[in-house]
Amino acid sequence: MAPSPTAFQPDAIVVGSGATGGVAAMVLAEAGLRVLVLEAGPDLSAREAFGSEPLNTARRLANMSSGKQRLQRHHPGFWKHNPNLFVDERRNPYSTPDDAPFLWSRGRQVGGKSLTWGGITLRLSDHEFQPGQGPGWPIRHADLDPYYTRLEQLLGVHGGRDGLPQLPDGHMLPPLPFTPGEAHLQSRIGRELDLPLIHSRGFNLHRGPGWPRSASQGSTLARARATGRTLVRSHAVVSHLVLDGERARGVVVVDGATGAREQITAPLVVLCASTIETLRILLHSSAAHQAGGLADPSGSLGRYLMDHISSSRFFSIPGVEAPREPMELSGAGSCFIPNTVNLAPDNATDFQGGYGLWTALQRFDPPALLQRRRGEAVGFLIGHGDVQPKADNRVTLNTERPDAWGLPTAHISCRWGENEQRLVAHMHRRMEAVVAAAGGQIRAIEDLFVLPLLEPWIRSSLAVGADAPPPGYYIHELGGARMAATPDEGVVNPLNQCWGAPNVLVVDGACWPRAGWQSPTLTEMAITWRACEAAVSRLRRGD
């Protein structure tokens, strides 16, 4: 049962209700704290959130035509989900330099982007945590290992135990089986290219009514609410932190429906609003915008923004046995070719960082009438590339173009550099080698499927272009309030406390000092669990 809003004085405010917000609320509430979760968007039922076809397709076409989702439609996830789970870009504007587009996808509703999460759950390794191919973190895999394990078991993650040092094994349910095409690909690239192909690690498809475990309402947020100590307030847009010296007193909230403003106080504030939105809140809380505002000793707030650089290829392979029954495409129902470059001096390249390839075959075939190459195994390869942090890739505030609630908006300046271009060139050569080793051919998606209504939109989509799409496309934005061992190196300490306000935690992707190549959500959730557990201990000690 939810507590009464009128009599509720929180011990902790959690800003955001998605993957990290759900974990923060769960950990804090189960430790006995009263938790107020602030969500900028509505609280939808599962039926309202996920919708159904063909209504979702009709909504997509209408929203793209109206300009409501002109930019977000470039991401493939937009085509799988109810478009109402993506923001109205007219009410939620942002700006970029004319020569540096950034594709920012947002989900403002209870559950956030956990409702559109692809469900891939990969751990980072010490290869990413340690300095070398990037700046490194002040923590290691061992610091997050127990929290990774708790999350894998709580969420019911599927995956194999592959014994790869660059992708630590977890504690998971058995992997979903390969399709015949994937088994063929594994055999060929292992023999001819000495490359591993492993079962993906993640969620299987949700079947039936209600919330999937990948949504915070189906797992962590549900547990937080079950304590009776968590209140979720929707349509609550956070403007900024209110500082009292070197501690936050609370936050200023704008009512999403009425525009009314109020200040809410609590001893602890946890920012889980997603990377760029968290940066917007922190920047708007700074001394440049608020009297007595948040101090940033490092001068790095808003800087070192990253996203995974991505590129995709579709392909087909003739002469492969067809599956006996349909096999799902999901976070668990797919495969990975993990990173194998720059792991040691003998496989160093002309770029820093690494990349992995997500792949699947025979998992998304439409009816035979819509197949242009019947009888061939059709697949995709999507690269996740490790982007190096650069100070000039940053978020600042645009006060001249406010949002629908009168708040300053994000100005995002982020460009791929020469290092990323060399990484993608290597990625493309590997994709070509992988497909050739399997006896296949790379093809345009319209050469594989008949898509009469969608072909005009697909042809103009950045997802299917020959080059890497602009930053933001892969929805893995990270950095801007990076974790560091000292206050002159970053914005938060190794337990995610702001150096300038230690009762403020930044636990979403904003705290990352380096991107790695792995999908970030599981690591963000593990970071959140660890940071909130430590915060509870400090509160109990009176620190």
Side-chain angles (χ1 to χ4, degrees), residues 179-484:
T179 67
E182 291 161 355
H184 169 82
L185 185 67
Q186 182 189 49
S187 173
R188 288 293 187 90
I189 67 172
R191 184 172 68 244
E192 297 189 22
L193 303 176
D194 194 28
L195 288 176
L197 186 139
I198 66 171
H199 295 277
S200 185
R201 301 171 184 179
F203 298 102
N204 57 7
L205 289 179
H206 174 67
R207 295 178 175 87
W211 297 105
R213 288 188 179 184
S214 55
S216 65
Q217 295 100 313
S219 53
T220 53
L221 191 60
R223 278 180 48 166
R225 282 172 150 165
T227 65
R229 291 184 289 272
T230 298
L231 177 65
V232 178
R233 179 172 164 184
S234 56
H235 296 291
V237 184
V238 173
S239 169
H240 60 276
L241 303 167
V242 178
L243 275 292
D244 185 2
E246 293 186 352
R247 295 187 71 82
R249 189 163 66 241
V251 298
V252 170
V253 175
V254 181
D255 186 286
T258 68
R261 297 188 175 217
E262 68 174 297
Q263 185 179 131
I264 304 174
T265 61
L268 177 68
V269 178
V270 187
L271 295 181
C272 308
S274 81
T275 295
I276 295 174
E277 183 67 6
T278 286
L279 295 179
R280 182 199 65 77
I281 293 169
L282 290 170
L283 289 164
H284 197 214
S285 306
S286 69
H289 296 273
Q290 310 296 333
L294 180 70
D296 169 30
S298 71
S300 65
L301 178 60
R303 294 185 179 273
Y304 303 103
L305 181 69
M306 300 166 284
D307 181 32
H308 285 142
I309 191 167
S310 177
S311 190
S312 62
R313 295 289 186 268
F314 289 87
F315 63 95
S316 65
I317 306 173
V320 178
E321 175 190 358
R324 295 182 181 178
E325 57 185 30
M327 299 180 74
E328 70 175 55
L329 173 62
S330 66
S334 50
C335 322
F336 263 98
I337 302 172
N339 178 48
T340 62
V341 301
N342 291 326
L343 298 176
D346 61 355
N347 70 354
T349 64
D350 63 348
F351 57 87
Q352 282 193 304
Y355 63 88
L357 299 177
W358 183 42
T359 184
L361 291 92
Q362 300 174 313
R363 292 185 184 270
F364 53 100
D365 293 339
L369 288 175
L370 300 181
Q371 298 177 28
R372 295 192 189 274
R373 309 194 69 82
R374 298 182 193 178
E376 296 191 13
V378 173
F380 64 77
L381 289 161
I382 299 177
H384 299 183
D386 183 3
V387 169
Q388 299 300 298
K390 296 188 286 288
D392 289 342
N393 286 340
R394 65 183 302 193
V395 176
T396 54
L397 288 190
N398 185 340
T399 58
E400 297 179 358
R401 191 183 183 191
D403 64 15
W405 301 273
L407 299 176
T409 52
H411 179 76
I412 307 169
S413 179
C414 189
R415 294 172 171 85
W416 301 137
E418 293 183 3
N419 187 78
E420 284 73 47
Q421 300 298 342
R422 290 193 292 269
L423 184 153
V424 168
H426 194 283
M427 181 191 293
H428 286 163
R429 292 193 295 272
R430 174 158 293 181
M431 289 176 170
E432 293 166 1
V434 164
V435 173
Q441 185 172 338
I442 293 173
R443 303 182 186 276
I445 190 170
E446 57 265 33
D447 293 337
L448 296 169
F449 304 125
V450 179
L451 303 166
L453 294 177
L454 301 180
E455 280 187 14
W457 297 105
I458 290 172
R459 287 195 192 100
S460 65
S461 174
L462 297 170
V464 297
D467 299 323
Y473 161 79
Y474 213 62
I475 320 186
H476 287 174
E477 59 268 15
L478 301 162
R482 63 181 183 173
M483 183 189 295

Side-chain angles (χ1 to χ4, degrees), residues 2-56:
S4 168
T6 56
F8 192 72
Q9 177 56 48
D11 301 307
I13 296 169
V14 174
V15 182
S17 61
T20 56
V23 171
M26 177 190 71
V27 173
L28 297 172
E30 290 186 344
L33 274 63
R34 297 181 300 273
V35 181
L36 175 62
V37 178
L38 299 176
E39 171 54 55
D43 192 354
L44 305 173
S45 68
R47 178 174 292 184
E48 290 172 326
F50 297 124
S52 60
E53 294 293 352
L55 186 56
N56 284 350

